[in-house]
Amino acid sequence: MTVSMTANAATDPSPSSRPPVQVAPQFPLQDFFRNPEKGYFRLADDGKSLAFMQPVSVDGQPARMNIFVQALDGLAPAGEPRRLTSETARDIGGYFWKGSDTILFSKDFGGDENFHVLAVDAKTGDVRDLTPFENVRAGIIDDLEDDPDHVLLTHNQRQPEVFDVYRVNVRTGKSELVASNPGNIVGWLTDHQGKVRVAVASDGLETALLYRDREADEFKPLITTNYRTEVSPLFFTFDNKKMYALSNRGRDKSALVIIDPAKPDAEELVYAHDEVDIGGASYSRLRKVLTEVSWETDKAREHFFDEPTRALDAALRRHLPGYEVALQGHSRDENIFIVAAYNDRTPGSRYLYDAKADKLAKLADINPALPEGQMAQSRPIQYKSRDGLTIHGYLTLPVGREPKNLACIVNPHGGPWVRDSWGYNPEVQFLANRGYCVLQMNYRGSTGYGREFWEAGFGQWGLSMQDDITDGVQWLIEQGIADPERVGIYGGSYGGYATLAGVAFTPDLYAAAVDYVGVSNLFTFMETIPPYWKPMLEKMRDMVGDPVRDKERLAATSPALHADRIKTPLFVAQGARDPRVNKAESDQMVEALRQRGVDVEYMVKDNEGHGFHNDENKFEFYAAMEAFLKKYLKP
């Protein structure tokens, strides 16, 4: 196996020219994982009010993230903040302003992911559930910026497997059906007037882009592809006649294109990158122009199409040297912006920026308890898999320690059809602060690197996808960074599956393993997916495996069916209400090991789902994980 690192990776000689760094003190576990004292800032359309979330205890219950509003005097918050919500069971999932007098927010119940959409009056605090239905999952598809009273929502109240579109009055809750799902629609798109003009239909294996000129018309198929070919509409052109889309038709990497419904097969190329997929695009509602495209290589990158956006980015980088900057909201006149400044060692700070006056005012530091200078750098790396693929990833080394014979944690991402990115990661920083090196890798099947790399993971759970992770461990050892006797593996969701596969199929490789809401049995996993995933079940069977056609392979790569091979100490954590990876996935793994007399540490939280979100549960999990890893890896 050949190995290499990028120029700014751990073997870069440049760090040696810096003054020696002292080993960082151990910071309290809670400082890494608690909610920010103030964060998630949002700006009202008129730029005169600011909303944010902060943890607050209501009626003596544990503190949860609730929404507050505060007036603005220019860029300065004025007067006392007012609390608008009184959630006690769980943090609010997310929220945004509807105009300047209403806030919409979402919440689920014990982690079941049946999110409701609620409206709260920013002046009176009156709260209304816009989707007050049992066992229903709802979401917002268009905030209808020009309509002060309505939004477009989707939910599956009529039929659990499918999502219809409704126009809902945010003040009265009155709901009107706008588009009925015949059973195969998996996505909707509106034009700039809020009209539902595009739908994406799928039987799992084939995808059809459906189009209509007006809402009164019937949808007609425009483009039909197999699911491996992406044609994802983003938004309409500003005359509402064509669409910007991400497409990999006839190419390996997804590009930004314009599709004309009159000539759907003649894509107009707007922007492409040779090495990676284009990830997204943005536009100005005010000026009605395309502003930027974005993608990720080792870090997030972008290309600007217009001078005002380019100038705005340059001004922010001038004000905030040494940090990545991201816009998190703006006033409707696109003059006042909420700005996030961050890097790999800090979640950073949030600011208000006045573009006309070129003035920046800090709103809050997101985690001032952790000094940036004592956190660890995450460096992009790459290595070759045993069959010649380039695997990209990130290596984080503990501060002040020589990168030799370290206890290391391999941390494969979940998904698996996503990717790890550069930036601040509290789990990684916590582990580095405890003396571990941490390796994250984008194994084959990860997204962003083109269709061929993504497809290379099909049917490869526990096989070549797992080999990519194993090859990362061998690379760490060959570099001299990892002590081969002190390598652990930790992951959640698919990363939890990879953890279990690692200890089942390479039983001598790891000295400790932590499985967090991970899949253990590919047969039972496929049987227990949520009802709203069922339209995509054929796609899952094609990408992962069919329980009948691929029975032997799925049996060979289901860790729960090979528990007799596991000898690595294992810690399992699971949310009882997880709709994605059913609790039975963890139960059967733990039971199989305990029947052999293997002591497995098992943590179950009855009020959590796919991952722990309440602070007290997070603290308990990470404290148990810290003690477990310390016992077996001795950092």
Side-chain angles (χ1 to χ4, degrees), residues 304 306-319 353 355 358:
F304 302 113
D306 68 319
E307 187 51 41
T309 307
R310 188 179 296 108
L312 173 63
D313 182 76
L316 292 173
R317 292 184 186 278
R318 186 174 66 249
H319 281 288
Y353 179 68
D358 189 27

Side-chain angles (χ1 to χ4, degrees), residues 33 43 70-71 73 78 87 103 156 159 196 249 311 338 342 377 390 444 459 530 549 565 587:
F33 300 112
L43 195 60
Q70 192 169 12
D73 180 7
E87 296 299 317
I103 286 174
N156 57 345
Q159 186 178 344
V196 180
R249 282 194 292 177
I338 294 175
Y342 69 94
Q377 288 185 311
T390 298
R444 73 190 67 200
R549 183 187 66 233
R565 299 181 61 182
D587 286 349

Side-chain angles (χ1 to χ4, degrees), residues 571-575 601-605 612 617 620-622 624:
F571 171 35
V572 177
Q574 177 71 47
E601 196 170 329
Y602 189 24
M603 178 182 291
V604 178
K605 292 299 175 186
F612 298 169
N617 294 333
E620 187 180 343
F621 167 64
Y622 288 116

Side-chain angles (χ1 to χ4, degrees), residues 438-553:
V438 183
L439 177 66
Q440 303 163 276
M441 75 289 290
N442 288 319
Y443 44 77
R444 73 190 67 200
S446 300
T447 54
Y449 297 96
R451 175 164 43 182
E452 185 178 342
F453 189 83
W454 174 57
E455 290 183 358
F458 290 6
Q460 295 299 311
W461 287 39
L463 299 171
S464 61
M465 291 170 75
Q466 196 69 31
D467 290 342
D468 292 345
I469 298 168
T470 302
D471 292 347
V473 178
Q474 298 300 336
W475 173 80
L476 274 177
I477 293 168
E478 289 169 11
Q479 296 287 310
I481 296 168
D483 178 347
E485 303 299 318
R486 294 189 298 151
V487 177
I489 183 169
Y490 159 59
S493 194
Y494 176 84
Y497 167 83
T499 294
L500 296 175
V503 296
F505 308 134
T506 50
D508 297 316
L509 192 61
Y510 300 106
V514 179
D515 159 34
Y516 188 35
V517 298
V519 174
S520 73
N521 182 326
L522 295 175
F523 296 100
T524 55
F525 167 64
M526 300 287 272
E527 291 169 359
T528 56
I529 65 171
Y532 45 83
W533 280 15
K534 285 185 178 169
M536 308 307 291
L537 186 55
E538 285 303 314
K539 177 179 173 180
M540 290 282 289
R541 287 175 177 156
D542 198 54
M543 296 173 73
V544 180
D546 183 279
V548 177
R549 183 187 66 233
D550 304 308
K551 181 178 179 181
E552 288 187 10
R553 173 166 60 78

